[in-house]
Amino acid sequence: MTSAAAAAACIFCRIIKGEIPSFKLFENDKVLAFLDIQPLSRGHALVIPKTHAEKLHQVPDAELAELLPVAKKIAIAVGAENYNILQNNGRIAHQEVDHVHVHMIPKPNAAEGLGVQWPAKETDMVSLKTLSEIIKSKM
């Protein structure tokens, strides 16, 4: 599917164009924020760049720079004392809509909001040092 075809079929691009209704919380020339229609908790919102991009590394930096400040404003407006900021890339990383989006998910109690498993792995300082050098050499 071409980029133009993907954008035309994208539910978030259609929300940006006003073809699909949403409960907008914020909008400027770079980003749009709206309430999630399948919320994990009260105030669960999405912040999306207006440029169609499936993965974070494909979004222009100027739009990326807007995502977290808007998520922060929503967290404050909702009155969320505890919350998660979540951004997934790819199906096996739990991305459901192929348009970059940041979730702001209030965590008011143990039962509501995002549940997270964190299967930490054992490692050692030598392996971490080697990996850090490999990553830095490619940046």
Side-chain angles (χ1 to χ4, degrees), residues 8-86:
C10 172
I11 189 168
F12 288 171
C13 288
R14 294 182 64 208
I15 288 171
I16 291 166
K17 292 177 193 171
E19 296 173 0
I20 296 175
S22 67
F23 295 99
K24 292 181 185 179
L25 301 173
F26 177 89
E27 183 172 18
N28 66 18
D29 61 326
K30 294 183 176 77
V31 301
L32 173 66
F34 51 93
L35 290 175
D36 194 303
I37 62 169
Q38 295 180 312
L40 298 181
S41 59
R42 184 179 182 275
H44 179 173
L46 301 174
V47 185
I48 64 172
K50 287 194 171 176
T51 296
H52 178 79
E54 182 178 329
K55 306 247 173 103
L56 185 73
H57 65 273
Q58 299 166 333
V59 179
D61 287 349
E63 291 181 36
L64 283 179
E66 299 273 337
L67 296 176
L68 289 181
V70 172
K72 173 185 168 182
K73 288 176 185 178
I74 296 168
I76 292 168
V78 167
E81 183 178 334
N82 302 291
Y83 55 92
N84 294 95
I85 301 295
L86 176 67

Side-chain angles (χ1 to χ4, degrees), residues 98-117:
D98 292 331
H99 186 119
V100 169
H101 53 287
V102 172
H103 293 262
M104 191 297 295
I105 309 167
K107 185 72 174 161
N109 55 56
E112 295 179 79
L114 183 65
V116 177
Q117 293 181 350

